[in-house]
Each structure stands twice: as structure tokens, then as C-alpha cells.
Amino acid sequence: MALDDKTLDALKNDLLTRYVSAAQQDGAAPAETPDRAAERLGEIRSPDIGEILEALIEDDGALEAAVATLALLENDRAANVLGYLPGDHQLAIVGALDDAQALKLLEEMGSDERADLFNLLGDDRREALLRRMARKEREDLKRLASYEEGCAGAIMTSDYVAIASGMTVSQALMRVRQTAPDAETVYQLYVLAADGELIGTMSLRQLMVAPPGAVVDDIMIRDVIQATVDELQEEVARSVARYDLIALPVTDGDNRMVGIVTHDDAMDVAEFEATEDIHKGMSIGQLEEGVSRVPLWTLYRKRVLWLVLLVFANLFSGAGIAYFEDTIAAQVALVFFLPLLIGSGGNAGAQAATLMVRGMATGDVGVKDWGKMLGRELLVAGSLGLTMALAVAPIGIMRGGNAVALIVAASMITIVLFGSLLGMCLPFVLERFKLDPATASAPLVTTVIDATGVVIYFSIATTVLAGAGAGG
Amino acid sequence: MALDDKTLDALKNDLLTRYVSAAQQDGAAPAETPDRAAERLGEIRSPDIGEILEALIEDDGALEAAVATLALLENDRAANVLGYLPGDHQLAIVGALDDAQALKLLEEMGSDERADLFNLLGDDRREALLRRMARKEREDLKRLASYEEGCAGAIMTSDYVAIASGMTVSQALMRVRQTAPDAETVYQLYVLAADGELIGTMSLRQLMVAPPGAVVDDIMIRDVIQATVDELQEEVARSVARYDLIALPVTDGDNRMVGIVTHDDAMDVAEFEATEDIHKGMSIGQLEEGVSRVPLWTLYRKRVLWLVLLVFANLFSGAGIAYFEDTIAAQVALVFFLPLLIGSGGNAGAQAATLMVRGMATGDVGVKDWGKMLGRELLVAGSLGLTMALAVAPIGIMRGGNAVALIVAASMITIVLFGSLLGMCLPFVLERFKLDPATASAPLVTTVIDATGVVIYFSIATTVLAGAGAGG
């Protein structure tokens, strides 16, 4: 069971009181002996300690208390906890340590998290730390840190278990035991040729039930599900989900193995990508951090672009209204129904767009399904429009008589149907032109439907009223 | 690498031609010998075969070809593939098998997937199959099938590795080897007391590096992260993600172990929940299947409820307009800006609501963060409103002179600020009253802002125009 907020909060306050007052007394002994505090922390899991440290730094500005708490933990544990903190907190903590202390922590971090942190450091610090590292470690770090964000290379770790081609099962098991403390996972093993080429994979489970004298090459699976370093991280997460993998091996252009993406990192990527899609659905740009932490200026920038663009797009609605000024003047009651009609069309259209965008993101809907989806939307949106027209018609009669009711009902069906089909098709069109289908956001779709809805509504009104006028 | 659509499609068409024509020739030998086809299928992974079968049934209506393909596979493989199909296809396939054949497949399925399928069967079929099962298996199935959808019990599997308290490490390793073929995962082990109580857990990794003679009770972790059967599935997925688990044990009310939720199932749940949240953000109800497969009538029902409700809510906007008819008549140019102003407020408000809803869903934002979020939104929305006001003011001057520009700019700031704060606060209010914060959907938020925006705009207009009139 996860610790509840109250427990974490209480412990945080304990740590705060102890270390902040200790620091203010200029090095005086903390109220509780560090051993006792270390013991208490020992009962808490790393992500929970991470949350405490985050609260210490974020809410209380008590960086020194966070650093002191980290110092209470064993080194590998401290490195693990550090990996759960947001980048800027990691940076602040490492900034408070001297090179030797920082290096001790960095060495124990997962290679992927170490590379991320490394990329945040200033040039001087980076150089200073690199100089102190062993050559092999330095090259591994430099390589991992060099991959572009958002691709497999940037989320993979180099801490995997490689088995040399030709090893026996018992040799391989020995190797698993040796690498167990350092590897991110020992449950999926990768068989490499002498030149580092990935030639097969096997699960630890397979290895354990195989005859000890067998050669790994005879039991491994040769057709390996893998990704290249430059594959998009969302594709990696999808492969992991589709094939229920514990880890996905990552290779360079020459099929040489360079790392793995583990299931837990793939799950984090999937959550990040879902958040990004949800935000895009409202025309919000990609946020690297949670909404509670992202700098206000960034939040402003990520929101303002489309809002301003859509202000200008909305001018078309205004132009439509201006064009039909005579119709409006002749029957002012019509304005009463304007927000209702364009709002309804926008809602139905945003629904249709969202269903397609999410269907595409999860792989449920492909470009080839376009025709089928169009047919389905025609039926559903037609029914929706009819239902909503029936709901609004009585109000039309009440407000303006039969002619207005007819205008409003006919407009409702037309606008809802048009809006839904537009919302449904837009993601396909974007995909077709190699653009992100998620650009078909609710604000964009509703804005377009607003403008077209105005024209549809007043065109129908002008026609019906002219007919009624001619009839009268 | 996942197989591309073309390869899968080609193989599907091969299978289709072979088995459909074979069936039409009334039992004549298929064009290719089954051995050869089985060999080709052997090179393809289960989820990919599942996709082929799904296409056979869905696009070609060739159920018999799907059943024949399944019969080519070894039994455990066939059961595995079956688990990747949508429920209604599983049902169709099992419906085409006699009881003995169906039972053979069911017995090899994962216990969680078997229970799901079982729940879809008719009463008679269920009884017939249950009668043929061994008692222990029958009870396991009945129990798993009894849990309500959406909770831990409904997604867990009973195929885990239980280690009896008191066993030595080498005994435990032997047990792992024995259960390896059947267990969903052998990488996390659970230590149970004689009465089935969950008293500890250890990873296979820990077990492998422990001294063979040690007792498991001495190396296990006693503080187990777990869920009870009735815990919500999204909470389960969140625990798995937060603590990077391979599997999460599930216990009944008496702390007796009843199953595990594996990392891959947790990832599926997370995706399902993200889809649900995205749909809710557009006022679409929960869809049990992908948008391409859900019945049209269901899709209609899931979309129509809020659309119709919002038609009536939108009447308030109309009423607002009716109330200010005199102002509108006095300055018809004002109507030009109406869609723009209420649309902008709606967009900004929907953004703010979405940011909060997703922040709450991912655990980034808690109820206690309300004040902090309000302060941040005030600053960001104020800046957004100001930017948009500056964008629209020149158009105001062009269309109606300084007074109109002033009205439009002032309205823009007020409506954007009000809309954003409303959108931001609504999820917190809903959460406070134990309602789903995701109900604060874009359509709901924009509809409310439409109505209030009308009032804000024309109130400001009336005031400014009266002032201008008095001044002139």
C-alpha cells in the first residue's frame, strides 16, 4: 500500500525541523541522532522518500534538509531516490555537493537517469565530473547523454545483461547472478555476437528450465522485437505494451545492442504521451513537467499561441454575422438561438475529432479505416442532430413561431452533422499530410464550426424567411 | 520489430483464400497443407496472429477461417492468441467449438482472460463447461469471474508463484522451475503462511543471489505493496507505475492472497483509463471497446446525453442575448465580436480545466494544491487575457471606433480571466463533492462560459455606451 499523504507530510516536517534548525545552529547536532532517522527512512520506499524530498525543496525551500536526508541513506539507495526527483531538484542537490560526493551518487544511478541529469549540468561541472570517471564509464555516459529527447536512445539504459554467443546455460546463469545488483532487469537476457551484434534473446524463465549444458544459441529466440536508437519513444512504449515485454532492446544502425527500455520506463512514457495528447486536445503545447511545477512563463507560452490564432479565426464568425445583418434585423429572435446552435455543433464536432485522434493514438483506428469511420459517423451524427433538433424545436415555436422552429431545427441537424463530419475527417486529413492528427483540437474544431455554423444558420433563415415572406 | 500492416494483410488474405474456399468445397483439402501454414504462423507472434484473426472475423466475416487458423496452432499458443481478441470475437470462436474443444482452449488461457471470456458466455454453455472442469479449477474460475469490472479482482490472475513460509531458497527455486510454464510471472514471488495470508515478497533476482540454505522468511520483504480485490483498477495501475513493479499482489479482506496484477495488464489499464479521461474531456461516456468497434447505438448513447443537456444550458446564452436586445439594437457592430469573445473565453477555460483534470489523474495536483493553482492561474490567465485583448483591440477600432475597442478589450480580459478561473476551479469543486473531476469537460466549461460571457460582454457594453452617451 502506498503511504498516505499525511504520513509522508509528518515525516517531512520532522526532517525539516531537525535539519533546518540544525543548519541554523551552524552545525550543531540534530535533535534526533542521524542513525535513528536513517532507520525510519529505511522503512520507506524510494519513490516515497523522493516525494518527501520534493516537498522539502519545493514547498519549504529547504534544500539543505533534502541534502542531509539523502546523506542518511546508503549510497545506492540515495542514488535511486535522486532518480525519482524532478530534474531541477536533482540539479540543485548535485549543485550542493562537491565533485567527489556528486560522483559517488552519479556512479550508482541508473545509466539512463544519470545521462538525463548530466545533460542538465553546466559545462564546467560536466567536465570536472567526466575527468574523474573511468574511461569506460565516461564513454557510456557521453553516448547516452547524446541522444535526442523523445527517442529510444534517450530513455534506454545500458545496464542490461548481455550473454556472449556460445555460452552454456549454466555460464549464462552465473553471469545473471554476477550482474544482478547492477542491471535494471535480469529477467530478459540478450545474446550478443563478438562484435556486439544482437543475435537473440531469452527470458530468465527459459534459461532456468533449460538443461545446464545447453548452449544459449540453441535456446534463444532469434527474431527479436527491438527498436533503433532513433525510434520515437511512443513507438517503443507501444511495442512494450503490445508484446507484453519486460524490456525492449535498442540497437544502433548496425544492429549492435546499445541498451534496453524497461517496462516501467515504457509505462512512464505512455503516461507522458497520454498527458501530451490530452493537452494537445485543448491546443496546449507540450509541457516537460507537471502543471503544478512548470514555470508560469512556459505555461503562458504553451497556451497563448493557439488562443491568439483562434481569436483571428473567430473573426470569420463575426464576418458571417455582419454579412447577414439584414436577416438578423428582420428577425431579432434568431440571435437568441445562435450560441446554442454553434455551441452544439462545436460540441459534437469536438467529440468526433477526439474519438478519432485517440483511436489513432492507440492504434485502434488507421488511415485505411477512413471510409468505415465516415459511414459510422454519418449515422451517429445524423441521429445526434435529429435528437437535438427535436429538443430545440419546441423552444423555437415558443420564441418565434413555426417558421423559427423550422429554421432552428433544420440548422441544428445541418450544423451537428457538418460539425461532426468535419471533426471526424480533420485528423485523417492532418495524418495524410504527415501532420499530427492531435492538432485537430477541440478549440480548433469548435472555432471552425462556429464560423461555418453562423453561415449555415443564417443561410437557412434567409431562405425560409424569404419563402415565408413570398408565401405571406 | 512489429510486423507491418502489409505483411499481416497478405498472410490474412492467404488464410482467407485457403480456408474459405476449403469450406466452400465442403471439406476438400485446403490449397496449402496445414503443416506448411502452421509453420508460417509459427514465425509470427501471438498479438500479431490475433490481429490477423480479428481482421478475418471483422472485415471478412470469415469466422470459419479464423477457427481453422486457431486449430493450426499448438493448444497453449491458440489459447494465448485467443486472449488477444476482442470479447465478442472470442465468444464467436468459442461458439463455433464443441464443449471438449472449448474446454481445451479455456484450460490453457490465463486465468484472468478465461474469467473475462466466461462472463460473456450464456448460462447454458457456462454450466456445460463448468461441469467438465476439475473442482479446483472450477472454483478458481467462478471466483475470478465474480469480481466487479473496474476493480483489482477483475483484472488479476491467479497464476502466480506462491512460496510456503519456511521453505529454503533452494526449495523456492525448485518451485519456480516447476511453475515456470504456467505462472504469468515467475519474477516476483509471494510468501504465504499456511492459511494463505500474504506475509512477504521477494524478487527472483533476490532469490538467485541468496545462499541456497537460507529460509525465505529471512530474505523476503515484509512490507508488501498490495491491493485489495475491490480497489479501483486505476489505483492498481498507479501503484505499479509509481513503484516500478513487475506485479502487484491482490488480497481479500483477510489479507489472504488471491492473485496478482502484472505490469503488462497494468499498462493496458493505464491506457484504457487515459482513453476514458480523454473521452470524458469531451463529455463522451465510457466506451468498453475502441471507437472503431463499439456498436453505433452505444456510441450514440454515450455522446447524446451531454449534448442534449448542453442544448438546454445554452439557452441561458440566448436568454442573455434577449435581455440585452436594446444594447444590441443600438450598436449592431457588437454582435460581430460575440462569437470571438465567448469562444476565446471557452478555449482558455477548457485549457485550464483540462490541465487540472489531467494533473489530478496523474497525481501531480492534489486537492490541497487548490490555492497554489489558483494563484498560478490568476497570473497566467491574466496575461493570456491581456495578450488576446491587445490582439482584438485594433479590430475593434476598425469596426466600431474607440468605444467599441474599449468594450471588446475589456470584455476579452474579463471573460478570459473569468473563464480560466472557472475552468480551473470546477475540477476541484467536483472532487470536493466526491464527483469525478473529469466531468469538467470542455463542452460543459465552454457552455457555461458562453452564457456568462454574453452577460459580461453586454454589461460592459451597456455601461460604456451609457457613459459615452452621457459624455457625448
Side-chain angles (χ1 to χ4, degrees):
Chain A
M1 199 62 44
L3 286 183
D4 59 293
D5 282 356
K6 254 187 208 149
T7 317
L8 290 182
D9 224 42
L11 183 53
K12 188 208 76 175
N13 285 328
D14 278 3
L15 289 164
L16 185 62
T17 321
R18 189 152 52 243
Y19 291 110
V20 168
S21 45
Q24 284 164 350
Q25 289 155 33
D26 197 18
E32 199 177 345
T33 63
D35 278 359
R36 174 75 194 286
E39 199 175 294
R40 289 177 60 197
L41 285 172
E43 295 155 12
I44 305 179
R45 296 185 184 82
S46 301
D48 295 326
I49 301 184
E51 193 166 294
I52 292 177
L53 299 191
E54 199 178 329
L56 277 174
I57 299 174
E58 187 87 9
D59 303 341
D60 305 294
L63 178 62
E64 68 277 25
V67 173
T69 305
L70 215 52
L72 288 180
L73 304 172
E74 283 178 37
N75 193 41
D76 59 341
R77 190 95 195 287
N80 193 238
V81 168
L82 191 62
Y84 283 104
L85 294 180
D88 54 342
H89 289 184
Q90 291 186 27
L91 196 59
I93 287 175
V94 171
L97 303 176
D98 64 33
D99 286 351
Q101 291 169 321
L103 202 66
K104 235 179 85 190
L105 268 182
L106 277 171
E107 274 168 353
E108 285 290 332
M109 285 179 89
S111 63
D112 46 349
E113 284 152 356
R114 177 171 50 199
D116 290 343
L117 171 54
F118 192 73
N119 272 335
L120 298 174
L121 294 173
D123 284 347
D124 290 352
R125 193 72 199 273
R126 224 184 292 190
E127 282 308 314
L129 290 172
L130 278 179
R131 266 200 303 273
R132 287 163 164 265
M133 282 184 189
R135 176 154 169 270
K136 195 168 165 223
E137 206 170 12
R138 184 168 61 222
E139 280 172 5
D140 181 58
L141 174 54
K142 274 182 158 173
R143 191 169 47 79
L144 283 179
S146 71
Y147 295 110
E148 213 174 319
E149 268 198 45
C151 69
I155 55 169
M156 74 187 183
T157 169
S158 52
D159 306 325
Y160 58 90
V161 183
I163 304 286
S165 168
M167 267 192 183
T168 62
V169 166
S170 59
Q171 283 174 321
L173 279 170
M174 184 68 73
R175 174 124 179 86
V176 168
R177 281 199 194 85
Q178 285 163 352
T179 34
D182 291 325
E184 286 273 327
T185 182
V186 298
Y187 302 135
Q188 195 68 34
L189 314 169
Y190 304 95
V191 181
L192 305 189
D195 65 348
E197 195 193 346
L198 174 63
I199 58 171
T201 185
M202 80 198 80
S203 66
L204 179 56
R205 188 198 293 226
Q206 282 174 280
L207 197 67
M208 285 181 74
V209 296
V215 175
V216 291
D217 300 63
D218 295 333
I219 56 165
M220 70 186 185
I221 293 166
R222 283 169 193 281
D223 176 25
V224 186
I225 304 173
Q226 57 188 285
T228 51
V229 283
D230 52 0
E231 195 162 324
L232 287 179
Q233 63 178 16
E234 56 257 48
E235 309 258 322
V236 172
R238 263 169 81 175
S239 288
V240 170
R242 180 179 173 103
Y243 298 107
D244 300 340
L245 303 177
I246 292 239
L248 182 80
V250 182
T251 52
D252 64 14
D254 300 322
N255 200 33
R256 262 190 290 264
M257 175 129 186
V258 287
I260 55 170
V261 176
T262 53
H263 65 95
D264 48 316
D265 287 341
M267 198 166 176
D268 291 345
V269 166
E271 181 182 299
F272 180 85
E273 294 290 334
T275 299
E276 192 186 327
D277 286 352
I278 288 174
H279 289 170
K280 266 199 188 147
M282 295 301 158
S283 300
I284 304 166
Q286 184 180 328
L287 303 175
E288 293 301 332
E289 290 178 285
V291 64
S292 69
R293 304 201 63 255
V294 72
L296 290 181
W297 169 242
T298 307
L299 194 54
Y300 167 81
R301 279 190 302 122
K302 299 294 182 173
R303 290 176 64 178
V304 78
L305 174 67
W306 275 98
L307 288 180
V308 169
L309 282 181
L310 294 176
V311 164
F312 293 106
N314 257 311
L315 287 174
F316 288 101
S317 307
I321 291 174
Y323 181 82
F324 288 102
E325 221 161 70
D326 292 346
T327 308
I328 298 172
Q331 186 66 281
V332 186
L334 288 176
V335 185
F336 179 88
F337 292 96
L338 180 62
L340 188 161
L341 289 170
I342 62 180
S344 297
N347 290 342
Q351 283 186 343
T354 302
L355 286 168
M356 290 306 118
V357 171
R358 182 62 182 166
M360 288 176 171
T362 56
D364 173 41
V365 175
V367 173
K368 64 179 167 43
D369 298 324
W370 184 82
K372 179 182 165 198
M373 290 298 130
L374 184 67
R376 287 169 60 94
E377 187 63 28
L378 257 172
L379 289 172
V380 172
S383 314
L384 291 173
L386 200 63
T387 312
M388 292 154 87
L390 290 175
V392 82
I395 309 161
I397 297 177
M398 275 158 37
R399 294 273 326 173
N402 288 343
V404 169
L406 177 64
I407 293 168
V408 170
S411 301
M412 182 65 101
I413 295 179
T414 316
I415 293 173
V416 167
L417 195 59
F418 169 81
S420 299
L421 294 180
L422 178 94
M424 187 232 106
C425 293
L426 193 52
F428 286 98
V429 174
L430 289 164
E431 176 81 28
R432 180 76 184 67
F433 287 99
K434 309 270 178 208
L435 297 166
D436 185 350
T439 312
S441 64
L444 176 62
V445 169
T446 53
T447 301
V448 174
I449 296 172
D450 275 1
T452 42
V454 164
V455 175
I456 292 172
Y457 177 36
F458 290 123
S459 299
I460 291 177
T462 309
T463 314
V464 172
L465 291 177
Chain B
M1 198 63 43
L3 284 185
D4 60 293
D5 281 356
K6 254 187 208 147
T7 317
L8 290 183
D9 223 42
L11 184 53
K12 189 209 75 175
N13 285 330
D14 279 2
L15 289 164
L16 184 63
T17 322
R18 186 152 55 243
Y19 290 108
V20 168
S21 45
Q24 283 164 351
Q25 290 156 30
D26 197 18
E32 198 176 348
T33 62
D35 276 359
R36 175 75 193 287
E39 199 176 294
R40 288 178 60 199
L41 285 172
E43 293 155 13
I44 304 179
R45 296 185 185 82
S46 302
D48 295 327
I49 301 184
E51 194 167 292
I52 292 177
L53 299 190
E54 198 179 328
L56 277 175
I57 299 175
E58 186 86 9
D59 302 341
D60 305 295
L63 180 61
E64 68 279 24
V67 173
T69 305
L70 216 51
L72 288 180
L73 304 172
E74 282 177 39
N75 195 39
D76 60 340
R77 189 94 194 289
N80 194 240
V81 168
L82 191 63
Y84 283 104
L85 295 179
D88 55 341
H89 289 184
Q90 292 186 27
L91 197 59
I93 287 174
V94 171
L97 303 176
D98 64 31
D99 285 353
Q101 290 170 320
L103 202 65
K104 232 180 88 193
L105 268 183
L106 277 170
E107 274 168 351
E108 285 291 332
M109 286 179 89
S111 62
D112 45 348
E113 284 152 357
R114 176 170 52 199
D116 289 344
L117 171 54
F118 191 72
N119 273 335
L120 298 174
L121 295 173
D123 283 347
D124 292 352
R125 193 73 199 272
R126 226 185 293 190
E127 281 308 315
L129 290 172
L130 277 179
R131 265 199 303 275
R132 287 165 164 262
M133 283 183 189
R135 176 154 169 269
K136 199 172 160 218
E137 206 170 11
R138 186 167 61 222
E139 280 172 4
D140 181 57
L141 174 54
K142 274 182 158 174
R143 191 166 49 79
L144 282 179
S146 70
Y147 295 109
E148 212 174 318
E149 268 198 41
C151 69
I155 54 169
M156 74 187 183
T157 169
S158 53
D159 306 325
Y160 58 89
V161 183
I163 304 287
S165 168
M167 267 191 183
T168 62
V169 165
S170 59
Q171 284 173 322
L173 279 171
M174 184 69 73
R175 174 123 180 86
V176 168
R177 281 201 194 83
Q178 284 162 354
T179 33
D182 291 324
E184 286 272 327
T185 182
V186 298
Y187 303 134
Q188 195 67 35
L189 314 168
Y190 304 94
V191 181
L192 306 189
D195 65 349
E197 193 193 345
L198 174 64
I199 58 171
T201 183
M202 79 196 82
S203 66
L204 180 56
R205 190 198 292 226
Q206 282 174 279
L207 197 67
M208 285 182 71
V209 295
V215 175
V216 290
D217 300 62
D218 294 334
I219 58 165
M220 69 186 185
I221 294 166
R222 283 168 193 281
D223 176 24
V224 186
I225 303 174
Q226 55 187 285
T228 51
V229 283
D230 52 0
E231 195 161 325
L232 287 178
Q233 64 178 14
E234 57 257 49
E235 309 258 321
V236 171
R238 261 169 82 176
S239 288
V240 171
R242 179 179 172 102
Y243 297 106
D244 300 339
L245 303 177
I246 291 241
L248 181 80
V250 182
T251 52
D252 66 12
D254 299 324
N255 199 34
R256 264 191 287 263
M257 176 126 183
V258 288
I260 55 170
V261 177
T262 52
H263 64 94
D264 49 316
D265 287 341
M267 199 166 176
D268 291 344
V269 166
E271 182 181 299
F272 179 85
E273 295 289 334
T275 299
E276 193 187 329
D277 286 352
I278 287 173
H279 289 170
K280 266 200 187 148
M282 296 300 158
S283 300
I284 303 165
Q286 185 180 328
L287 303 174
E288 294 300 333
E289 290 178 288
V291 64
S292 69
R293 304 200 62 256
V294 72
L296 291 181
W297 170 239
T298 308
L299 195 53
Y300 168 81
R301 280 189 303 120
K302 298 294 183 174
R303 290 175 64 179
V304 78
L305 174 68
W306 274 97
L307 288 180
V308 170
L309 282 180
L310 294 175
V311 164
F312 292 105
N314 257 312
L315 288 173
F316 288 102
S317 308
I321 291 172
Y323 180 83
F324 288 101
E325 222 160 69
D326 292 347
T327 307
I328 297 171
Q331 184 68 279
V332 186
L334 289 177
V335 185
F336 179 87
F337 293 96
L338 181 62
L340 189 161
L341 288 170
I342 63 180
S344 298
N347 290 343
Q351 284 187 343
T354 302
L355 286 167
M356 290 305 118
V357 170
R358 182 62 183 166
M360 288 175 170
T362 55
D364 172 41
V365 174
V367 174
K368 63 178 167 47
D369 298 323
W370 186 80
K372 179 184 167 194
M373 291 298 130
L374 185 68
R376 288 169 60 94
E377 187 62 30
L378 257 172
L379 288 172
V380 172
S383 313
L384 291 172
L386 200 63
T387 312
M388 293 155 86
L390 289 174
V392 82
I395 308 161
I397 297 177
M398 274 157 39
R399 295 271 328 168
N402 288 342
V404 169
L406 176 66
I407 292 168
V408 171
S411 301
M412 183 63 101
I413 295 179
T414 316
I415 292 173
V416 167
L417 195 59
F418 170 81
S420 299
L421 294 180
L422 180 95
M424 186 233 106
C425 292
L426 194 54
F428 286 98
V429 175
L430 289 163
E431 175 81 29
R432 180 77 185 66
F433 287 99
K434 308 271 178 209
L435 296 166
D436 186 352
T439 312
S441 63
L444 176 61
V445 169
T446 53
T447 303
V448 176
I449 296 171
D450 276 0
T452 41
V454 164
V455 176
I456 291 171
Y457 178 37
F458 290 122
S459 298
I460 291 177
T462 310
T463 312
V464 172
L465 293 176

